[in-house]
Amino acid sequence: IIPSNIKIIGSYAFSACQIKAISIPSQVIRIEKGAFSDCEKLENVEFSPDSELETIESEVFSGTAIKKILIPPHVKRICEHSFSYCSSIQTIEFPPESELETIENDAFLDSSIEAIEIPSNVYELKEGWCSKAEHLKKVAVNPNNKYFKNYEKFVLGKSNKESDEFDVLVFVSRDIQDVIIPSNIKIIGSYAFSACQ
């Protein structure tokens, strides 16, 4: 039970602990690097409904046994390697009012994630954000997102954020076997086909 006065969970505070579940109280605004990394028995992480959490720093949940997680609404960045090597994770969910803007490099590297929804405010999916995630079949982009959109089993982005043209192939569903690249595509993004079939 995290004390009510705690605002920051420090770097590697719980790293390699034997905990199985944790509830993060509302007043925690930052979880620092590797705070829960390599907690191999950690399956359940719950955030308070009125969570004030703003940042999930690098490697925070790397190597844990989390299966599903709901990211609090005020989180703006999921930093690099936050969920890498999570061999049990299946879904990442965001509330409709999510303020998420960026998913950083290798955030889901070599994880077992199967589905993720990209909230409306996300403008940046950094290089390799889901590389080697061979089970990732569904990336659903919020229809109100201005920078990314779904097209068949693809996620498309923009080479020019100010343009109306979606001309970058960002992601291809990992279970797709035959691909016809849309005629408007000018750039095939980094790791777009990583771990595809």
Side-chain angles (χ1 to χ4, degrees), residues 109-187:
L109 173 70
D110 206 11
S111 72
S112 61
I113 186 170
E114 296 177 2
I116 186 172
E117 50 187 68
I118 306 297
S120 59
N121 292 313
V122 172
Y123 67 87
E124 194 171 31
L125 296 172
K126 290 197 173 181
E127 184 175 303
W129 67 279
C130 64
S131 62
K132 297 186 180 179
E134 61 184 44
H135 302 289
L136 185 55
K137 299 182 179 86
K138 184 177 181 183
V139 176
V141 180
N142 186 295
N144 296 319
N145 190 297
K146 298 176 184 176
Y147 307 103
F148 301 97
K149 75 171 185 176
N150 287 114
Y151 176 77
E152 296 179 353
K153 286 200 166 188
F154 307 139
V155 173
L156 306 183
K158 298 178 177 181
S159 59
N160 177 359
K161 300 293 186 190
E162 306 304 318
S163 171
D164 292 329
E165 187 177 10
F166 290 88
D167 58 356
V168 180
L169 185 58
V170 175
F171 169 83
V172 179
S173 178
R174 299 328 190 201
D175 63 346
I176 198 168
Q177 294 182 358
D178 297 304
V179 178
I180 298 174
I181 295 175
S183 60
N184 61 306
I185 295 300
K186 295 178 181 174
I187 298 170

Side-chain angles (χ1 to χ4, degrees), residues 91-105:
T91 57
I92 304 281
E93 295 182 354
F94 301 91
E97 68 276 18
S98 173
E99 298 171 14
L100 188 72
E101 296 175 346
T102 303
I103 299 178
E104 294 190 353
N105 309 62

Side-chain angles (χ1 to χ4, degrees), residues 12 32-38 56-64 79-84:
Y12 302 101
E32 295 187 339
K33 182 176 181 178
F36 296 97
S37 62
D38 298 316
I56 296 175
E57 293 193 2
S58 60
E59 303 173 28
V60 165
F61 296 111
S62 178
T64 62
C79 294
E80 57 187 21
H81 289 279
S82 292
F83 295 94
S84 61

